Amino acid sequence: MRHFDPETLAAFVAVVDTGSFTAAAARLGKTQAAISIAVTRFEERLGRRLLERKPRGVRLTDAGETLIGYARRMLALEDEAFAALWPEEVAGRLRIGMPDDYQAVFGPALITRFAAENPRVRLEIICDFSERLEPMVAAGDLDLAIVTRERGSVAGELLRREPLVWCAATAQAPERLDPLPLALFPDHCRARPRILAALDKAGRRWRIAWTSSHLPSIESAVTLGIGITALPESVVAPTLRRLGPADGLPELEPLELAVITAELAGPPARRLRTFVRTSFGRLDPADAPRAAEPA
């Protein structure tokens, strides 16, 4: 009888998420050889090549692209089944971190739904920049965090690639000024150096006109015409005007959004990771709930 072994599926998903057999082995607490053998035997049993092995990592084949979504869903369903059979284990305090902008958009819906389904879990939300949240997870100060990954990083499990969008006030045109006035998050923001590097590469002069750690403050500055900004597509308010190459602004590479979990995460954190994987990964930015507009 044909069936999919959960441990093998987990190995396959880990290789895809981390981009290498070595990193997947570290995530799962196994040797690189064990992960490689498991995936190779899996491919032989299926009669399909799932991964293309490259010197700089791996890439999904057409068959792998077909299977990866099913693999994630099967692993999520397994987690849900265990939680349903042993609901008493899904209890306790859960410390969750995410950047301010993503908390404002996705946090309320996700946390409200998760809390309703898991009433014995006490949630504690910490908003901070991704570069600060990752060490907190590694130190065990957070159970789980949703972060923007560094360029080239394979930390955590990739949830989605989020377009980075230029935006400005609807009634003003600060994008025509030279130097270009910018309203940005401070240096701890991982998107900031990408934004400035893109402008430098395009030969566009710029100046920092407004800096804030909070999304409503950035939105206020943009709405007042103080400067333009670049935000993840899912957090761009409908009241803002989107800009692009036609406005003399360079294309920006997308951000990678990932979920990272503490090494010794308990049942509540594993349950939330499954919840985030299935909810955050499939959520269309156009359907994301907006926080109240700043006054």
Side-chain angles (χ1 to χ4, degrees):
M1 181 178 69
R2 292 187 298 177
H3 71 281
F4 291 103
D5 173 58
E7 289 194 9
T8 304
L9 288 176
F12 169 56
V13 170
V15 172
V16 173
D17 287 341
T18 63
S20 77
F21 288 88
T22 301
R27 175 190 286 190
L28 298 178
K30 298 184 178 181
T31 65
Q32 185 271 341
I35 297 297
S36 180
I37 291 171
V39 174
T40 299
R41 288 178 176 172
F42 187 37
E43 292 176 317
E44 291 172 351
R45 187 162 60 84
L46 293 174
R48 299 284 189 278
R49 177 61 67 89
L50 302 175
L51 300 168
E52 291 183 8
R53 281 75 165 171
K54 302 288 185 180
R56 294 186 178 181
V58 299
R59 189 174 68 178
L60 284 167
T61 64
D62 290 343
E65 289 279 6
T66 299
L67 181 60
I68 188 64
Y70 290 107
R72 295 190 196 282
R73 285 157 55 189
M74 284 186 278
L75 291 173
L77 186 59
E78 182 186 45
D79 285 346
E80 291 174 12
F82 275 107
L85 287 171
W86 293 282
E88 68 279 0
E89 293 188 12
V90 187
R93 184 173 67 133
L94 189 56
R95 300 158 299 174
I96 310 162
M98 65 176 70
D100 176 77
D101 47 358
Y102 285 113
Q103 156 62 17
V105 175
F106 296 101
L110 294 179
I111 301 308
T112 299
R113 284 169 32 218
F114 181 81
E117 295 175 8
N118 301 272
R120 300 185 66 219
V121 176
R122 303 188 310 278
L123 301 177
E124 180 181 337
I125 313 300
I126 296 89
C127 291
D128 208 332
F129 292 102
S130 297
E131 73 169 28
R132 293 173 174 168
L133 293 174
E134 286 191 32
M136 293 173 71
V137 175
D141 296 325
L142 289 176
D143 299 294
L144 178 146
I146 298 170
V147 301
T148 298
R149 293 205 295 206
E150 282 276 27
R151 182 187 283 110
S153 171
V154 295
E157 178 182 335
L158 179 64
L159 293 173
R160 59 187 291 165
R161 289 181 174 84
E162 183 82 12
L164 199 55
V165 179
W166 293 106
C167 48
T170 56
Q172 302 183 57
E175 70 273 13
R176 298 177 185 173
L177 299 177
D178 184 26
L180 181 69
L182 300 174
L184 298 177
F185 291 107
D187 290 337
H188 294 294
C189 172
R190 286 179 171 170
R192 179 177 169 128
R194 305 185 193 192
I195 295 167
L196 300 181
L199 290 170
D200 290 339
K201 185 177 180 179
R204 187 73 192 266
R205 297 200 309 158
W206 53 269
R207 67 179 181 86
I208 302 297
W210 188 282
T211 300
S212 177
S213 300
H214 302 291
L215 178 62
S217 176
I218 296 292
E219 289 180 324
S220 294
V222 175
T223 300
L224 291 171
I226 293 172
I228 72 168
T229 193
L231 295 171
E233 184 177 38
S234 57
V235 310
V236 177
T239 54
L240 297 181
R241 180 168 50 93
R242 298 190 180 204
L243 307 172
D247 304 291
L249 297 169
E251 293 279 1
L252 298 170
E253 61 182 75
L255 305 174
E256 289 193 345
L257 202 63
V259 57
I260 55 176
T261 313
E263 185 177 355
L264 301 178
R270 294 198 299 271
R271 183 74 181 272
L272 180 59
R273 180 180 61 194
T274 298
F275 185 87
V276 168
R277 180 193 297 142
T278 55
S279 300
F280 227 115
R282 69 169 182 249
L283 189 57
D284 189 312
D287 296 332
R290 285 288 307 169
E293 292 300 319

